[in-house]
Amino acid sequence: MHLAQRALRRAASAATVALLAVAVGCAPQPEEKASDKASGATGKTCAQGKLSTQTSGKLTIATDEPAYEPWFKDDKPANGKGFESAVAYAVAKHLGYDKSDVTWQTVPFNKAFAPGEKTFDFDINQVSISAERKKAVDFSSGYYDVRQAVIALKGSKAAKAKSIADLKGVKLGAQVGTTSLNYIDDVVKPTQQPAAYAKNDQAKSALKNGQVDAIVTDLPTAFYITAAEVTDAKIVGQFENQGGTPEQFGLVLDKGSALTSCVTKAVDALRTDGTLAKIEKQWLSDAVDAPVLK
């Protein structure tokens, strides 16, 4: 009798385990896994206005503060004025997001491409694409081909420079973490340690106050500084691109972002259909000629 009861109990237990296994197998996936799957699929299809963004139905774009001209106008990224603001909205439109769907966020320049999870969908802030930065973040294809330029006060020794060799003995400065500073270190190779500043504003103040003889910025910024901010300064010249490959600004995305391919396709399409050239002509038309320093 006891053996029969034991057999019945074992049979009942086996049936229970089998039922539980079926139940677990048919149970819905955890919400996090399901959303991960959907996120990747959405990113690959680039569905208009339905990408896997930080906020559903919205596109979060970041840049630094202050937002300098000619890249932005009146320190207001959201107004659509200035080269980078116009590019940001053109990319957003191509991705299926209206101007009202775009949210702007303030992120310091160096933090945009530092390691770590991002709170934005993409950042636009004159960030040059480089192999080193690609270790920490993703980049879109380039939206602007840029050259670096030297600015000095009129009448100064630095202002008379005709070649890279003429700059070796002057005190140079640039914003920290920029290719501008890299050009000083790697191309000019000055005899004096260059000054590195957290912001371009600090570099401009140092130039005004005679703390440095010259500063290096990208060419469009150099034209704006000499035309509107430090009017007693001049553009000494521009550097040639190193290695034959043009330096390019790219949109910054989180490492491994599902949006990277979609944003890159948008930038490529805007370059192909002439939109980027049109925006560049509107906002950066002055940045065309400056002596080349060799």
Side-chain angles (χ1 to χ4, degrees), residues 96-176:
Y97 296 90
D98 293 331
K99 193 172 182 179
S100 59
D101 298 325
V102 173
T103 301
W104 285 89
Q105 187 182 96
T106 300
V107 173
F109 178 80
N110 286 318
K111 191 175 179 181
F113 51 85
E117 190 175 351
K118 306 306 176 191
T119 56
F120 51 77
D121 294 312
F122 68 77
D123 178 278
I124 183 166
N125 190 24
Q126 306 114 65
V127 181
S128 295
I129 301 168
S130 73
E132 184 63 29
R133 289 171 179 172
K134 281 184 177 180
K135 294 176 183 177
V137 294
D138 282 357
F139 279 97
S140 70
S141 51
Y143 62 86
Y144 179 67
D145 297 350
V146 65
R147 285 192 176 190
Q148 300 297 319
V150 181
I151 306 168
L153 295 179
K154 295 173 182 175
S156 68
K157 178 184 175 183
K160 298 172 185 174
K162 302 295 182 185
S163 67
I164 292 172
D166 294 338
L167 295 170
K168 288 188 181 293
V170 305
K171 181 70 174 179
L172 298 167
Q175 183 176 345
V176 70

Side-chain angles (χ1 to χ4, degrees), residues 52-106:
S52 180
T53 54
Q54 293 285 333
T55 302
S56 181
K58 300 289 183 180
L59 192 66
T60 303
I61 304 176
T63 196
D64 201 353
E65 186 180 44
Y68 299 108
E69 298 193 27
W71 310 106
F72 299 92
K73 187 77 173 172
D74 302 324
D75 193 18
K76 295 177 181 178
N79 64 15
K81 298 177 181 179
F83 179 76
E84 289 194 327
S85 181
V87 168
Y89 281 116
V91 171
K93 183 179 180 181
H94 198 276
L95 294 173
Y97 296 90
D98 293 331
K99 193 172 182 179
S100 59
D101 298 325
V102 173
T103 301
W104 285 89
Q105 187 182 96
T106 300

Side-chain angles (χ1 to χ4, degrees), residues 247-259:
E247 177 187 348
Q248 292 186 316
F249 291 155
L251 305 177
V252 182
L253 299 96
D254 204 355
K255 188 68 177 174
S257 172
L259 303 181

Side-chain angles (χ1 to χ4, degrees), residues 176-192:
V176 70
T178 61
T179 50
S180 302
L181 190 57
N182 292 342
Y183 266 74
I184 295 175
D185 290 330
D186 302 336
V187 178
V188 180
K189 299 177 182 176
T191 55
Q192 300 182 60

Side-chain angles (χ1 to χ4, degrees), residues 2-74:
H2 290 297
L3 289 171
Q5 285 178 339
R6 281 181 190 170
L8 284 170
R9 282 175 185 167
R10 283 178 186 165
S13 296
T16 302
V17 170
L19 286 169
L20 284 172
V22 171
V24 170
C26 295
Q29 290 181 318
E31 197 171 320
E32 187 180 346
K33 297 287 184 187
S35 66
D36 286 348
K37 219 170 208 180
S39 168
T42 305
K44 286 178 183 177
T45 59
C46 302
Q48 289 278 297
K50 296 179 181 179
L51 302 182
S52 180
T53 54
Q54 293 285 333
T55 302
S56 181
K58 300 289 183 180
L59 192 66
T60 303
I61 304 176
T63 196
D64 201 353
E65 186 180 44
Y68 299 108
E69 298 193 27
W71 310 106
F72 299 92
K73 187 77 173 172
D74 302 324

